[in-house]
Amino acid sequence: MRWRSKTGLLPITGITESDRSTKRLLQRLGPGRIAVLAHDDLDELAVRGLLKARVSVVVNTGRTMTGAIASRAVLELLEAGTPLVETSADAFELLQASRTVTVTDNGIDTGTSWVPCRRFTRQSWLAAYRAAQASEPKQLARFIENTLKYAVEEKEQLLEPLPPVMLRTELPGRHVLVVVRGSGYREDFAALKRYIRRVRPVLIGVDGGADAILEAGYTPDMIIGDMDSVSDLALFSGAELIVHSYRNGEAPGMERLRRLGLEAALLPTGGTSEDAALLLAYEQGCEQIVTVGLHSHMQDFMEKGRKGMGSTWLVRMKIGSRLVDARGISRLYPANERRKPARPGAAWLSFVRFLH
């Protein structure tokens, strides 16, 4: 098997790993594998997962950049020297059935057939990026309309308290740190080390955010979500498990926990799992809710396949001043400054002073 070269040269022959769900695929990818995706608008989390897995080639049967989102995520993959090729959506099943393939700049040899493909380059990225920038006003208008529509529909539900949940984790009067594997979560989580050491907040991982907590050297106190992108390692960490279910009680995530022999409480509510985590902390009487990696703007939500943020907007309005969003704090308070004592009279932002 040939490994990825620093120059990203093709052809490369290797063993394929494929899944229409990039989340599931990232959980089993290994070094040198050829990753076969079906992912429109490849996002930062997917790119970093592919880089961490050290795949030799990425084959995308989706549209790597649709021109709807002005994202720089794919550029990170290209700059790392990982070859990326695109092929048609109907080629997914054929590639999934092929264990070993050879990827070239203009086609994929499965041993029994030839699948045309095209190399995704920096020039491809630049063209899609500029197209997305040009369409941004229209995209924003549609996003706002969708957000307002669903905010009106969901406002009555938000006024109601959550169904009662029996918890073993003590939340009233405490600080809570809610972690999501969103853009920049690693850097921002690292910037909060002094805060975590001083305050000892309850650590809540939203699905894969629990793995982010483990990666940082901590243990999650609670995991909330659909349980579709969190690892078995995190699920067996001893954290209290809360499955975010539909309002009617249907909970697809509970089946996975049953197979693993784990128990969990159900939290039936609308919105995203991030919304559910914030509402639970709020209604349990937490003094302060600090968030890392939460999705908070149009590009975030569109990369997740959501066309609006009605519920998230409403939840933030409800929680109000108890919420401190630490996203981007690593850029305000870089690592070299965290290692230095503050100069007498330094005019730090009150936000940074609170967290550190």
Side-chain angles (χ1 to χ4, degrees), residues 215-259:
E215 290 169 12
Y218 304 97
T219 301
D221 297 298
M222 187 181 293
I223 301 173
I224 300 177
D226 305 324
M227 306 299 162
D228 62 345
S229 59
V230 58
S231 70
D232 288 355
L233 178 65
L235 291 175
F236 280 103
S237 66
E240 184 169 12
L241 306 179
I242 311 291
V243 175
H244 177 208
S245 69
Y246 296 109
R247 289 185 180 275
N248 62 7
E250 184 181 347
M254 190 64 81
E255 181 57 33
R256 179 186 177 191
L257 300 188
R258 289 196 185 103
R259 290 197 305 268

Side-chain angles (χ1 to χ4, degrees), residues 269-281:
T269 183
T272 67
S273 295
E274 299 171 25
D275 299 335
L278 295 180
L279 285 173
L280 182 64

Side-chain angles (χ1 to χ4, degrees), residues 67-70 131-149 296-302 306-310 313:
I69 305 171
Q133 285 182 315
S135 69
E136 196 168 77
K138 292 182 179 179
Q139 297 285 350
L140 180 58
R142 286 194 289 267
F143 189 83
I144 292 172
E145 290 167 2
N146 182 283
T147 296
L148 293 175
K149 174 187 174 183
S296 58
H297 53 73
M298 181 179 73
Q299 182 170 316
D300 274 349
F301 283 88
M302 290 185 69
R306 298 179 68 90
K307 298 179 180 179
M309 53 181 291
W313 183 36

Side-chain angles (χ1 to χ4, degrees), residues 57-286:
V57 188
V58 176
V59 178
N60 194 3
T61 63
R63 298 174 63 192
T64 302
M65 290 183 70
T66 65
I69 305 171
S71 171
R72 300 180 63 88
V74 181
L75 199 56
E76 187 175 349
L77 191 70
L78 301 176
E79 290 179 343
T82 304
L84 169 61
V85 302
E86 292 183 315
T87 186
S88 62
D90 56 10
F92 182 86
E93 283 76 13
L94 177 60
L95 294 171
Q96 189 175 43
S98 304
R99 186 58 176 161
T100 302
V101 302
T102 297
V103 182
T104 73
D105 285 309
N106 56 14
I108 303 169
D109 182 2
T110 69
T112 58
S113 60
W114 178 261
V115 179
C117 70
R118 58 189 174 277
R119 185 78 176 260
F120 192 94
T121 64
R122 288 180 63 92
Q123 289 71 31
S124 309
W125 169 81
L126 183 60
Y129 187 82
R130 287 175 173 169
Q133 285 182 315
S135 69
E136 196 168 77
K138 292 182 179 179
Q139 297 285 350
L140 180 58
R142 286 194 289 267
F143 189 83
I144 292 172
E145 290 167 2
N146 182 283
T147 296
L148 293 175
K149 174 187 174 183
Y150 282 95
V152 169
E153 293 179 3
E154 296 172 359
K155 68 177 182 180
E156 298 301 329
Q157 298 172 351
L158 191 70
L159 294 174
E160 302 172 0
L162 289 176
V165 183
M166 296 297 294
L167 301 177
R168 71 167 187 260
T169 305
E170 292 290 332
L171 294 177
R174 298 186 64 184
H175 281 222
V176 166
L177 180 59
V178 178
V179 182
V180 178
R181 285 195 300 188
S183 176
Y185 76 89
R186 286 191 181 94
E187 295 81 1
D188 292 340
F189 199 7
L192 294 172
K193 283 187 175 180
R194 288 177 59 190
Y195 163 73
I196 295 171
R197 185 168 60 249
R198 178 171 59 86
V199 178
R200 296 187 177 277
V202 177
L203 299 178
I204 299 180
V206 179
D207 279 319
D211 290 288
I213 294 172
L214 290 174
E215 290 169 12
Y218 304 97
T219 301
D221 297 298
M222 187 181 293
I223 301 173
I224 300 177
D226 305 324
M227 306 299 162
D228 62 345
S229 59
V230 58
S231 70
D232 288 355
L233 178 65
L235 291 175
F236 280 103
S237 66
E240 184 169 12
L241 306 179
I242 311 291
V243 175
H244 177 208
S245 69
Y246 296 109
R247 289 185 180 275
N248 62 7
E250 184 181 347
M254 190 64 81
E255 181 57 33
R256 179 186 177 191
L257 300 188
R258 289 196 185 103
R259 290 197 305 268
L260 294 172
L262 295 170
E263 295 183 353
L266 276 182
L267 180 60
T269 183
T272 67
S273 295
E274 299 171 25
D275 299 335
L278 295 180
L279 285 173
L280 182 64
Y282 173 80
E283 296 201 6
Q284 287 288 319
C286 291

